[in-house]
Amino acid sequence: MATEYERKRLENIKRNYEMLASLNVHGTKSLLSSATKRSRDESKSIKTKKFKKKQKPEEPIVIRQSLRTRGLTPDLKGLPNGFSDKPRRNVVSVSKNESVRVLAPLSLDDVYEGEGSYSEFVDCIVNGEFGDGKACGEKRIDFDEVPLKLEQENVARVVPERILVVKFLPLENVRMVVAGDKSGNVGFWNLDCDDEKNDGIYLFRPHTAPVSSLVFQQNSFSKVISSSYDGLIRLMDVEKSVFDLVYSEDEAIFSLSQRPNDEQSLYFGEGNGMFNVWDIRVGKSSFQWDLHERRINSIDFNPQNTNVMATSSTDGTACLWDLRSMGAKKPKMLKTVQHAKPVHSAYFSPSGHMLATTSHDNYIGILSGANFEDTHMIDHINSTNRWISCFRGVWGWDDSYIFVGNLSKRIDVIAPKLRRTVMELHNPLMKAIPCRIHCHPHNVGMLAGATAGGQVYVWTPK
DNA sequence: TCTATTGTTAAGTGA
DNA sequence: TCACTTCCACAATAGA
């Protein structure tokens, strides 16, 4: 199977290199990006700038026509089936609005959507001082002594569309977040940069469909790996100025993770429940397991024992797996948490002693005990609608708190031991629902909330 | 039983 | 301020 993947991948890369060469992608790009660039006078308004309406629907047609008129073989694979859980749905309607998927490396220039130069961004990443790559350990935060605050300067629209993933870069000396949105944009925001032209925001579009995950390559943080519903995994290498193509298939990739201390492999979920372990160096699949009935929404590893993995799925379950012991066709399942509706996340606590699941059934599940044998369900409204990315309860800097979005435009802070919301983060500046949240891996008390409108709100300790 | 369609909803855009 | 558009989550319903 792996060799088949590899063969197809190489074929695609070759074909698309030819296509790129014939199309003169740089020229094409300037045409594409001109439609999405912001006008100059708009950029004056603080950091919540307006984005022009997405790409024009005719753009892909232009490319496809030129392909045909040039007598080139089009991308016969078309777009991934996996946009929906139910295969073979929506494919036609989707392809109408999607740009062409380029199965080849893309230079940063090719997909830069912003104004002006992004050289400052490159300098910042290349010269940044990185943390040790691990979470800051278990650091307790006392909200009575250190309340969190939200300030105007820490509000920005980082990408044009609904955010599916937001992350702080693991930098020590610069505060930078990256967000992936519904249209395949990846936007970086340097909070410590106040360049008049771009306000420290650098927008790229390496994907043609929703960006599902962003991870930082271990031990080389100038590399950002992105997965997308477009079926691609790209590796952004800032030093080499390229979004490389790591993996391409027809099925949408809904989740991506890296196992601590294993920088060579990518762990991701594609299509209806397939789980893939991909060897980056060799460029082929090490394992493929059918772990779930429906799409896998999250993958996480126990920081205490990285052989133990948690997955959550639209099939209504979250599962713990032992990667050391194999069953007949897949790893040994240690535990299943059953929810009544899709589960959108299952994350281990910083200590590795607990697991938090977030489900559309309006419960947040807490697993604890030596073997995660104790399960408690906490009521929490998680049933978002189609416009809002599903909530995911994320852990703070120790096992004391879970942060999760609330439909009333606030962030709920849940104490798992008390099994209730103990604090709410709200502020008039937070004008939309913070559906995806990330806590800074090094700076205790710094957390980002991301919305369906592309905004990011960074809360900081007072 | 499986597939297709529809309703729900938030938030940006532009008049 | 308001009408319009979005449309890739999910559930309920209709249809094959």
Side-chain angles (χ1 to χ4, degrees):
Chain A
M1 198 65 182
T3 50
E4 174 68 6
Y5 272 159
E6 181 61 7
R7 190 186 59 75
K8 282 200 291 192
R9 179 174 165 267
L10 290 172
E11 265 178 23
N12 284 324
I13 289 173
K14 186 165 171 251
R15 189 166 63 225
N16 284 277
Y17 264 128
E18 289 165 359
M19 184 190 92
L20 278 173
S22 69
L23 283 173
N24 180 15
V25 160
H26 280 266
T28 311
K29 185 260 162 183
S30 60
L31 187 147
L32 289 173
S33 63
S34 65
T36 52
K37 273 183 185 162
R38 289 160 274 157
S39 69
R40 186 146 306 188
D41 40 59
E42 278 170 336
S43 65
K44 270 189 252 166
S45 63
I46 25 167
K47 290 191 174 161
T48 44
K49 294 178 286 201
K50 285 182 178 176
F51 289 90
K52 281 265 166 116
K53 271 236 163 178
K54 23 238 121 176
Q55 80 283 5
K56 306 264 192 298
E58 55 269 26
E59 280 168 9
I61 298 168
V62 170
I63 295 177
R64 284 182 183 146
Q65 281 174 337
S66 61
L67 255 181
R68 291 202 186 98
T69 53
R70 285 159 198 267
L72 289 168
T73 314
D75 178 8
L76 295 171
K77 294 168 82 172
L79 285 145
N81 287 331
F83 278 110
S84 164
D85 284 323
K86 291 151 190 117
R88 291 170 296 283
R89 270 185 58 184
N90 294 335
V91 176
V92 176
S93 64
V94 165
S95 57
K96 250 194 327 195
N97 295 321
E98 291 299 324
S99 310
V100 164
R101 220 167 48 134
V102 177
L103 302 183
L106 296 164
S107 78
L108 297 199
D109 278 343
D110 288 336
V111 293
Y112 184 57
E113 302 267 315
E115 264 191 18
S117 160
Y118 57 85
S119 59
E120 201 167 342
F121 162 73
V122 173
D123 291 345
C124 182
I125 295 279
V126 173
N127 302 317
E129 289 169 23
F130 300 102
D132 58 6
K134 293 177 181 122
C136 51
E138 290 177 70
K139 284 185 190 157
R140 196 174 173 75
I141 182 163
D142 185 338
F143 292 117
D144 291 330
E145 280 181 22
V146 189
L148 301 187
K149 66 179 191 304
L150 177 64
E151 292 174 316
Q152 178 69 63
E153 67 209 48
N154 293 336
V155 176
R157 193 166 181 202
V158 178
V159 285
E161 301 270 356
R162 175 163 62 88
I163 293 175
L164 283 85
V165 53
V166 64
K167 288 275 184 78
F168 282 100
L169 270 72
L171 294 163
E172 293 263 325
N173 59 336
V174 181
R175 300 178 301 163
M176 198 185 296
V177 293
V178 55
D181 82 358
K182 193 198 73 177
S183 297
N185 294 292
V186 174
F188 292 84
W189 176 28
N190 180 354
L191 281 80
D192 297 310
C193 166
D194 213 12
D195 187 311
E196 270 195 20
K197 208 156 197 178
N198 52 31
D199 288 336
I201 294 166
Y202 310 92
L203 184 66
F204 301 90
R205 189 162 182 248
H207 293 283
T208 57
V211 177
S212 50
S213 305
L214 292 164
V215 303
F216 306 105
Q217 174 75 313
Q218 289 164 36
N219 304 321
S220 48
F221 295 107
S222 59
K223 293 174 181 168
V224 184
I225 304 165
S226 55
S227 65
S228 168
Y229 290 20
D230 66 10
L232 310 185
I233 295 175
R234 290 196 182 273
L235 188 149
M236 180 195 199
D237 188 329
V238 177
E239 289 186 50
K240 291 182 182 165
S241 198
V242 68
F243 280 95
D244 215 337
L245 185 66
V246 175
Y247 178 85
S248 69
E249 254 307 319
D250 283 357
E251 298 287 323
I253 297 161
F254 293 108
S255 48
L256 167 72
S257 185
Q258 258 195 323
R259 188 176 177 179
N261 307 318
D262 179 10
E263 60 181 278
Q264 192 174 324
S265 299
L266 295 176
Y267 297 73
F268 59 93
E270 60 180 335
N272 289 316
M274 284 305 292
F275 183 87
N276 216 320
V277 185
W278 183 262
D279 188 313
I280 299 175
R281 266 182 244 165
V282 181
K284 68 171 194 177
S285 191
S286 316
F287 298 101
Q288 267 200 318
W289 301 313
D290 197 0
L291 294 190
H292 284 277
E293 298 290 316
R294 305 277 292 275
R295 60 187 248 185
I296 297 169
N297 294 311
S298 74
I299 299 162
D300 195 33
F301 294 90
N302 190 326
Q304 204 179 42
N305 176 3
T306 60
N307 294 305
V308 176
M309 179 180 81
T311 54
S312 67
S313 168
T314 295
D315 68 12
T317 64
C319 300
L320 293 182
W321 310 91
D322 188 342
L323 297 180
R324 284 167 305 187
S325 39
M326 280 298 297
K329 283 188 176 168
K330 49 186 169 184
K332 182 185 171 192
M333 190 199 286
L334 300 172
K335 174 90 187 168
T336 302
V337 189
Q338 188 68 52
H339 280 272
K341 288 186 179 176
V343 190
H344 277 276
S345 64
Y347 295 132
F348 287 103
S349 66
S351 75
H353 293 137
M354 285 194 271
L355 184 87
T357 62
T358 308
S359 168
H360 210 263
D361 70 357
N362 292 332
Y363 285 109
I364 287 181
I366 304 293
L367 270 67
S368 58
N371 298 304
F372 298 98
E373 66 274 16
D374 301 324
T375 305
H376 293 288
M377 290 292 173
I378 301 170
D379 292 305
H380 189 269
I381 304 294
N382 305 315
S383 48
T384 56
N385 63 56
R386 65 184 299 185
W387 311 119
I388 304 297
S389 298
C390 300
F391 292 160
R392 293 177 170 179
V394 300
W395 293 91
W397 301 270
D398 65 4
D399 288 13
S400 307
Y401 301 111
I402 292 164
F403 297 83
V404 62
N406 185 296
L407 290 170
S408 306
K409 297 177 183 172
R410 59 174 202 247
I411 294 171
D412 286 339
V413 185
I414 292 173
K417 291 204 170 87
L418 299 173
R419 295 176 206 163
R420 63 180 174 87
T421 300
V422 292
M423 196 173 72
E424 297 163 358
L425 301 178
H426 54 87
N427 187 301
L429 291 171
M430 208 151 73
K431 293 188 172 76
I433 299 165
C435 42
R436 293 286 154 98
I437 297 164
H438 188 236
C439 296
H440 197 291
H442 305 301
N443 300 346
V444 175
M446 183 180 285
L447 67 97
T451 75
Q455 292 95 348
V456 176
Y457 305 99
V458 175
W459 290 74
T460 52
K462 196 136 190 147

